[in-house]
Structure formats: C-alpha cells, structure tokens
Amino acid sequence: MMGLMVSEETRTEKSTTVRSSAPGGPTPARTRAWATRLVVLGIVLSALNLRPAITSLGALLEEVRDGLGMSGSMAGLLTSVPPLCFAVFGVMAPRLARRFGPAAVVCAGMVAITAGLLIRPYAGSTPAFLAASALALMGIAVSNVLMPVIVKRWFPDRVGSMTGLYSMALALGTATAAAVTVPMTNLLGGNWQTGLAVWAALAAAAVLPWVPLVRDRGRGSAEPAEPAPAREQPPALRITRSRTAWALAVFFGLQATAAYITMGWMAQIFRDAGVPASTAGLLLAVTMVMGVPLAFVIPRVATRLPHQGPIVLVLGVCGLAGYAGLYFAPAGGAWAWAVLLGVSNCAFPLALTMVGMRARTGAGVAQLSAFAQSTGYLISIPGPLLVGVLYQHSGGWGLPIALMTGLMIPQMAVGFLAGRNRTVEEEAAR
C-alpha cells in the first residue's frame, strides 16, 4: 500500500516536471520523488512511536507502582500525564513549525521520545519518572499536532488514504507495545525497567528518515511549495469563533479520555477480574490492534461522506456495549469487550480525518489541529485521574465504568456536530 501511494505520487510529479534544474543534475521530479518516499517512511515510523510510551507502561503499571511505591491516586496521576503534556506542548507545535519547518520539529520530537524512554525506567523516583515521561510525551505532542499538517502539505489530494496509513501505523505501534511488553520483559529477565527502556530503539529508528529532509529544507529541494491561495491567507484565524472547531475539540477530548482510560487501566480491570497478567496484556493488545485495519478504512470512508456523524454514532454504540460488558462480565466475555472497545477507540483516526477536512488550507489545518488537540487533551486530563481516585476509594470498578459510560453520550453528540460539511475558515470569518 505504501509503495502504491509513493508510485502514484512519483508518476504525478514526473508528469508535471520535466526539466532539469542544472545540466546533468537530478530533475526536480526525481528530487521530489525521493523526498516523498522519505516523508512516507517518516510518517509511518513516527506514527509507530506515538503510543508505545503509554501502552508499554499500561501493561507494566502494577510492576511500576510496586517498584516506585506509588499509590492508586498517584498511578491515576501518571495516566493523566499524557493528555496534560499533549495539551501543554501541542499548542506550541504550529509556532515551532513556522520557525523551523514541520519535518525538523517532528525529527526533534522523535529525539525527545528516544531520550525520555531511555531515561525514565532508571530515574529512581516517582518525580523523576514523571519528568522523563514528560520529555517523551513532549515529543509525541508536537508530532501529534504536525502529522495532519505534513499530510495536508505533501498529499493534499490523498488526505484520507495518508491519514489512514498514519493512523494504521499508530494503531499497530500501540497494539504491539501492549501485546509484547510483558512477554518481552520476561524474556529479558523479568526486569520492568528493561521492558520499558527497549522501546527507545524504535524511537531512534524514527529519527533517521527526517534527517535528510531537515538538511535539505534550506535548499528548497525537499519541501513542497504551498499553493498561492494558501500563501495569501491571513496569518491566523479567529478559530475560537468557529462552532465546528469547538465541537471537534470537545469530541477529540472525550475520545482521548476514553482512549487513555483504556490504555492506562483496562489491563488492570481484567487482572482484578482474575485474568492472568500476560492475558490481560493480550486483551489490551486486541483492543489496540482493532485500530490497525479500521484506522485505514475509516478515514477513506469518512472522506467520501458529506457528513461523518453516522460513523461517530456507530463507534459510540460499540463503546457503550463494551463498557456494559466490562461491568457485568469482565472476565467471561473479555475478548468480546476488548474487540468492541477497540472499534470504539477508532474515533481517534476519525477525529484526525475531520481535522484535515474541516479546514481548506495547510495553515488552517495547522491551527485547527493545534486548537482541537490542545483543547481536547486539556478536557481529557481529569478522566484517567478520576478513574484512579474512584477505583481506590470505592474498591472496585463499578463507579469508574459508570463514568466511562456517561462520557460516551456527549462524545457521540459533539462528534455528530463536528461531522457536518463546513470549514473553520467560513465560520471564523463571520
């Protein structure tokens, strides 16, 4: 699939650019072709690294709690750190991208993920563990925001398929970390620190494709030209005047709340129901792996519909059914609940697709992406923390699951509104 996309892009470029920029030198089409391949590789490798820092921790949360002496409330705070970092650092991404270029910022983000994942298992205390986690999550935050921007800039006619590819790789990385962290830790001697640190190698590999693009940015050979209408846009939209932007931000926040509660706590829910730790990790992996095929299909379907609201409703109903199963029979129907919640979590690639569809220009997508993701992640911060507090004080999972169920209703409502066929530029200009 990746090769097909690249070959189509290459054919397009070769058909439109035929002259060499210098006698005997590489043609602009040939230069753009290798850059396009690097961008696709960079998108895929970067997406693979946007969740292992979180799901690998979720799989070993009990061991980390014991090793660092964390309470249930502190563990809830730990599961709230990702959305907090995404909100705080994600808002900086458009400004950094304007100053240094999106590729350079994503490259730096991958370096930060690598460093954070290497440092945090050996930090030795809860505050140091949180600080190193924040470093890795800072890199994830800026990359989260800029991925839709890179897709819009490099593949303006393939937003659905490229968002699908990116989302599929993200889901694959998420599921792989959830599935193999526990068995891999056991193979490496049973030390949870080694089991967490090993994911830094994957992040280091994701740095490599961006380096040539960053190096060549100053030469102008690896950066696609922004269309003339986009260059004539005002420097900033009054994004807060757009109802669609707000609906998308709230939808993003509520689906992120559900996702981070799932990634941080679902394995523990199954373990408390009597499911072995390795099986609980596999169940979490099943939930995450559902996003691999669906994350590619849903964006392609969404771009062909005038209104994405029906997809939102279908995903929400799957989530409600999964929560009901966790409440009434967490161990008995564990595999079914894992599948249903995995389908429901595909609200994330749908939200990313709508970010690309609800703005006309690359600058508009950058601003909408930063607003929706930063605001959304701020909204999602209390959820995982509140789950930890409710779990500790109630002694069970009834109240936390009731909270997750209650949040799904407004998620479906605002997602339906965000799916309407309109752009933020139109609404912000009113």
Side-chain angles (χ1 to χ4, degrees):
M1 181 62 67
M2 187 190 307
L4 176 61
M5 293 174 185
V6 174
S7 62
E8 289 175 353
E9 185 73 20
T10 303
R11 285 197 299 271
T12 302
E13 293 302 324
K14 287 184 178 179
S15 66
T16 56
T17 312
V18 295
R19 287 182 175 268
S20 171
S21 58
T27 64
R30 198 171 297 165
T31 300
R32 176 73 191 279
W34 73 258
T36 300
R37 291 187 178 93
L38 280 178
V39 170
V40 173
L41 181 61
I43 287 172
V44 171
L45 286 176
S46 298
L48 286 171
N49 282 281
L50 295 183
R51 293 299 179 269
I54 302 164
T55 52
S56 62
L57 177 59
L60 293 173
L61 184 58
E62 187 170 312
E63 288 76 10
V64 174
R65 286 175 60 187
D66 292 341
L68 297 177
M70 290 185 189
S71 65
S73 298
M74 181 58 69
L77 175 62
L78 182 61
T79 58
S80 293
V81 169
L84 174 62
C85 290
F86 293 167
V88 172
F89 298 118
V91 74
M92 301 162 50
R95 182 178 300 176
L96 292 172
R98 286 194 297 270
R99 174 65 179 86
F100 301 105
V105 178
V106 172
C107 182
M110 294 301 114
V111 172
I113 295 170
T114 304
L117 291 181
L118 275 175
I119 294 169
R120 79 172 179 178
Y122 306 104
S125 66
T126 297
F129 188 94
L130 289 172
S133 295
L135 175 61
L137 293 166
M138 177 178 64
I140 296 173
V142 294
S143 302
N144 270 337
V145 171
L146 294 179
M147 282 296 171
V149 178
I150 290 173
V151 167
K152 185 78 169 183
R153 177 173 295 187
W154 281 86
F155 309 98
D157 299 326
R158 298 178 179 84
V159 169
S161 59
M162 288 305 301
T163 301
L165 180 65
Y166 150 59
S167 301
M168 186 169 63
L170 189 151
L172 180 61
T174 305
T176 301
V180 308
T181 296
V182 171
M184 183 170 59
T185 301
N186 294 333
L187 285 174
L188 294 173
N191 189 321
W192 64 264
Q193 295 168 309
T194 306
L196 291 181
V198 72
W199 293 104
L202 182 62
V207 176
L208 302 178
W210 299 107
V211 173
L213 293 165
V214 173
R215 183 191 62 198
D216 289 345
R217 178 175 179 262
R219 306 174 192 171
S221 59
E223 190 78 6
E226 190 81 16
R231 289 197 301 266
E232 295 165 3
Q233 292 292 324
L237 295 168
R238 290 178 289 184
I239 198 78
T240 55
R241 298 184 60 178
S242 168
R243 293 181 179 178
T244 297
W246 279 107
L248 191 53
V250 176
F251 176 63
F252 203 100
L254 292 175
Q255 67 81 28
T257 300
Y260 287 107
I261 290 173
T262 298
M263 286 186 279
W265 289 107
M266 197 178 82
Q268 193 64 48
I269 293 174
F270 287 128
R271 291 177 73 167
D272 287 350
V275 177
S278 58
T279 304
L282 284 175
L283 287 165
L284 179 58
V286 167
T287 299
M288 300 299 111
V289 84
M290 290 303 299
V292 176
L294 292 178
F296 188 72
V297 172
I298 288 175
R300 293 173 67 88
V301 173
T303 55
R304 287 166 169 78
L305 294 178
H307 195 312
Q308 290 75 47
I311 304 177
V312 172
L313 298 181
V314 170
L315 299 180
V317 169
C318 289
L320 292 175
Y323 292 141
L326 284 181
Y327 186 87
F328 291 108
W335 296 100
W337 318 143
V339 169
L340 285 169
L341 291 173
V343 174
S344 179
N345 279 347
C346 287
F348 175 71
L350 178 61
L352 288 179
T353 305
M354 288 196 287
V355 167
M357 296 177 68
R358 297 286 91 90
R360 288 196 303 260
T361 66
V365 169
Q367 196 170 345
L368 177 59
S369 181
F371 175 76
Q373 294 200 44
S374 296
T375 305
Y377 284 126
L378 278 174
I379 292 170
S380 72
I381 290 169
L385 176 60
L386 186 55
V387 165
V389 172
L390 290 174
Y391 171 56
Q392 179 168 326
H393 289 281
S394 68
W397 289 105
L399 286 178
I401 292 172
L403 172 66
M404 300 177 218
T405 304
L407 292 176
M408 185 58 69
I409 305 302
Q411 177 181 322
M412 295 165 69
V414 293
F416 192 87
L417 293 176
R420 295 174 297 174
N421 187 16
R422 55 193 65 191
T423 66
V424 293
E425 287 91 349
E426 294 169 354
E427 294 181 340
R430 293 173 187 170

